[in-house]
Protein backbone atom coordinates (compact mmCIF):
# COMPACT_ATOMS: atom_id res chain seq x y z
CA UNK A 1 0.00 0.00 0.00
CA UNK A 2 1.30 3.44 -0.93
CA UNK A 3 2.22 5.58 2.09
CA UNK A 4 -0.04 8.60 1.98
CA UNK A 5 2.32 10.75 4.05
CA UNK A 6 4.72 10.79 1.05
CA UNK A 7 1.88 12.03 -1.13
CA UNK A 8 1.04 14.77 1.36
CA UNK A 9 4.70 15.79 1.53
CA UNK A 10 4.85 15.95 -2.29
CA UNK A 11 1.76 18.17 -2.31
CA UNK A 12 3.39 20.44 0.26
CA UNK A 13 6.55 20.69 -1.85
CA UNK A 14 4.47 21.46 -4.95
CA UNK A 15 2.69 24.30 -3.15
CA UNK A 16 5.80 25.66 -1.40
CA UNK A 17 8.89 24.54 -3.31
CA UNK A 18 12.23 24.62 -1.49
CA UNK A 19 14.67 27.42 -2.20
CA UNK A 20 17.46 27.03 -4.72
CA UNK A 21 20.06 27.02 -1.94
CA UNK A 22 18.35 24.09 -0.21
CA UNK A 23 18.13 22.15 -3.47
CA UNK A 24 21.85 22.74 -4.10
CA UNK A 25 22.65 21.66 -0.52
CA UNK A 26 20.67 18.43 -0.80
CA UNK A 27 22.12 17.59 -4.21
CA UNK A 28 25.67 18.26 -3.00
CA UNK A 29 25.18 15.98 0.02
CA UNK A 30 23.84 13.23 -2.25
CA UNK A 31 26.77 13.73 -4.65
CA UNK A 32 29.29 13.51 -1.79
CA UNK A 33 27.69 10.30 -0.51
CA UNK A 34 27.73 8.77 -3.98
CA UNK A 35 31.35 9.81 -4.51
CA UNK A 36 32.38 8.17 -1.23
CA UNK A 37 30.45 5.02 -2.12
CA UNK A 38 32.02 4.81 -5.57
CA UNK A 39 35.49 5.41 -4.11
CA UNK A 40 34.96 2.66 -1.55
CA UNK A 41 33.59 0.23 -4.13
CA UNK A 42 36.43 0.62 -6.63
CA UNK A 43 39.44 1.46 -4.45
CA UNK A 44 38.52 0.01 -1.06
CA UNK A 45 38.12 1.65 2.31
CA UNK A 46 41.08 3.85 3.36
CA UNK A 47 43.16 2.31 6.14
CA UNK A 48 43.39 5.67 7.92
CA UNK A 49 39.60 5.71 8.39
CA UNK A 50 39.38 2.21 9.85
CA UNK A 51 38.50 2.02 13.53
CA UNK A 52 40.67 -0.42 15.44
CA UNK A 53 39.47 -2.49 18.36
CA UNK A 54 41.88 -2.13 21.26
CA UNK A 55 40.18 -4.60 23.60
CA UNK A 56 42.40 -7.43 24.66
CA UNK A 57 45.57 -5.55 23.74
CA UNK A 58 46.13 -3.86 27.08
CA UNK A 59 44.43 -0.61 26.03
CA UNK A 60 41.81 0.84 28.39
Amino acid sequence: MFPFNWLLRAVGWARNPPSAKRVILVLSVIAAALALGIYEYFLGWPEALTVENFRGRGWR
Side-chain angles (χ1 to χ4, degrees):
M1 184 170 182
F2 186 76
F4 288 107
N5 57 347
W6 291 1
L7 185 61
L8 292 175
R9 182 174 290 183
V11 168
W13 284 351
R15 290 181 181 167
N16 298 318
S19 66
K21 288 183 180 181
R22 177 155 305 193
V23 171
I24 290 171
L25 174 69
V26 169
L27 291 178
S28 61
V29 168
I30 291 172
L34 284 174
L36 183 61
I38 290 170
Y39 179 84
E40 180 184 355
Y41 182 77
F42 286 111
L43 300 176
W45 186 253
E47 187 66 30
L49 296 178
T50 302
V51 178
E52 295 181 18
N53 187 4
F54 290 109
R55 292 184 190 185
R57 297 184 188 176
W59 183 267
R60 292 184 186 194

